[in-house]
Amino acid sequence: MPQREKVVVATSARLETFLAMMFAQRHGEFEKENLEVDIQIVPPNDSTILLTQGQLDVVATGTSAVNFNAMAAGAPLRGVFPGSVPLTESKEGLWVRKEVLGPDGVFQPADLKGRKIATLGGNVGVNQAYMWKVLKEQDPGFQLSDLKFERIAAADMSTAVTGGAVDGGVMISPSWEPLVDDGCCVNVGYSPPYGSSFYAFGPTLLDQRPAVGQAFVRALARTQQTYLQGNFHTDPQRAAEIAEVLQSTVERVQREPAPTFSTDWPMPTEMAGISQDYLFQVGGILSYEKPLTNDQIYDMRFVDNLRAG
């Protein structure tokens, strides 16, 4: 940018899916664009409101009911750049305590009936949506009412599961790591194979300063290409940086295969559909009656400009 520009970003937690943003700041990629980027930790409901009001410029977020409802109401909010895509061998997903399993030790959907499952968003979230989709395919008789989700903060999730306060948890990185160390639980899958996270712009970068928004996206893309390709978790220097950024350990980082940061930058359209279908099933959460189209959720201008060179 010809002059110094400030960009205020909110995220609900330090998650690896948004590692490009944290690495762009760490490695000076935002500086190369003459951007001063202020990354703040803000609760997701608050950040969506602040973004649409122009008090934030960017929110690192995803396919959530809060975002869908704001978009349906015409709020100036669109996803513009994707986060990571999980690997199929990831340890994210549903973990259950061993006593939940039947006598044969093999997990069945019926094992979840009446059990308390910890999640970040209660019964609302992309992991819950995908889990419900697959559970229903595996056991057509399974009812949504059979699932008992309990909202627990990310910092308390692993303690709740290892301590037995809940029967299991929908775990994202790095919250599953203490469960491996404890030995209390098993990972039974149900992690979405699709990405669900994205960076959203509000009116300040969509309309008022789109060139600044393009510079922000350009820095993210360059960071992904430079630092986050292949199984970068095996690189000792990268693993140490990730551990510091995510407040984890090198050992834990290197246990998990690295997520994929695609250099084609596909937006998470699959999970947008799955999430909306699930939320309509839950009822009383979405404020609209017909699923939003991709054009109502995403603004592809910034990624299209990257692809065009």
Side-chain angles (χ1 to χ4, degrees):
M1 298 301 299
Q3 63 184 29
R4 190 75 165 170
E5 297 281 356
K6 185 171 183 178
V7 177
V8 183
V9 185
T11 182
S12 62
R14 290 181 172 270
L15 303 175
E16 188 166 22
T17 190
F18 300 121
L19 191 59
M21 172 179 68
M22 293 176 275
F23 264 40
Q25 188 173 55
R26 184 184 183 95
H27 288 280
E29 297 298 336
F30 289 135
E31 284 291 334
K32 291 176 184 177
E33 300 289 347
N34 207 11
L35 299 180
E36 177 187 345
V37 175
D38 177 16
I39 301 174
Q40 304 177 0
I41 304 296
V42 180
N45 288 5
D46 295 342
S47 64
T48 297
I49 294 171
L50 293 172
L51 180 68
T52 59
Q53 292 175 343
Q55 297 183 55
L56 294 170
D57 300 304
V58 185
V59 173
T61 183
T63 54
S64 71
V66 171
N67 289 334
F68 291 149
N69 283 335
M71 292 166 176
L77 158 68
R78 292 291 186 275
V80 299
F81 191 83
S84 66
V85 177
L87 294 179
T88 54
E89 60 265 36
S90 170
K91 293 183 177 66
E92 293 189 348
L94 176 62
W95 288 70
V96 297
R97 293 185 58 81
K98 291 177 180 177
E99 58 263 30
V100 168
L101 305 177
D104 60 0
V106 178
F107 175 78
Q108 302 292 337
D111 295 335
L112 292 180
K113 291 185 178 181
R115 300 287 189 172
K116 289 193 294 184
I117 304 299
T119 74
L120 294 178
N123 66 343
V124 180
V126 294
N127 291 288
Q128 296 89 304
Y130 183 76
M131 186 169 73
W132 164 246
K133 175 182 180 294
V134 179
L135 285 170
K136 193 68 175 173
E137 291 170 353
Q138 293 175 334
D139 182 354
F142 200 88
Q143 300 297 313
L144 194 55
S145 59
D146 293 330
L147 293 171
K148 307 296 181 185
F149 291 123
E150 184 164 326
R151 185 192 299 266
I152 294 182
D156 302 323
M157 182 84 75
S158 58
T159 301
V161 179
T162 57
V166 292
D167 300 299
V170 179
M171 316 301 286
I172 60 174
S173 291
S175 63
W176 57 266
E177 295 167 353
L179 277 62
V180 174
D181 298 333
D182 187 272
C184 63
C185 309
V186 294
N187 179 6
V188 297
Y190 301 101
S191 177
Y194 316 111
S196 61
S197 58
F198 54 79
Y199 299 86
F201 286 176
T204 60
L205 298 188
L206 287 174
D207 303 317
Q208 298 165 21
R209 298 188 296 161
V212 176
Q214 191 67 59
F216 183 87
V217 165
R218 196 162 50 239
L220 294 178
R222 192 168 56 246
T223 302
Q224 289 187 357
Q225 292 170 322
T226 305
Y227 304 100
L228 304 177
Q229 294 303 298
N231 191 6
F232 53 86
H233 281 190
T234 61
D235 181 318
Q237 180 181 346
R238 291 284 171 268
E241 289 183 291
I242 295 166
E244 181 179 343
V245 165
L246 300 183
Q247 300 176 343
S248 183
T249 66
V250 172
E251 180 185 7
R252 286 178 173 175
V253 169
Q254 293 187 323
R255 282 183 192 165
E256 176 84 343
T260 299
F261 288 93
S262 173
T263 55
D264 191 43
W265 313 296
M267 298 304 292
T269 53
E270 293 90 348
M271 278 310 304
I274 291 171
S275 295
Q276 289 183 90
D277 290 344
Y278 168 75
L279 293 170
F280 281 126
Q281 282 283 320
V282 173
I285 295 175
L286 296 181
S287 59
Y288 54 97
E289 297 180 355
K290 291 179 59 178
L292 299 176
T293 65
N294 287 334
D295 287 343
Q296 292 174 289
I297 301 172
Y298 305 114
D299 186 329
M300 299 302 297
R301 284 179 295 165
F302 302 92
V303 165
D304 286 345
N305 288 338
L306 287 176
R307 292 171 179 161

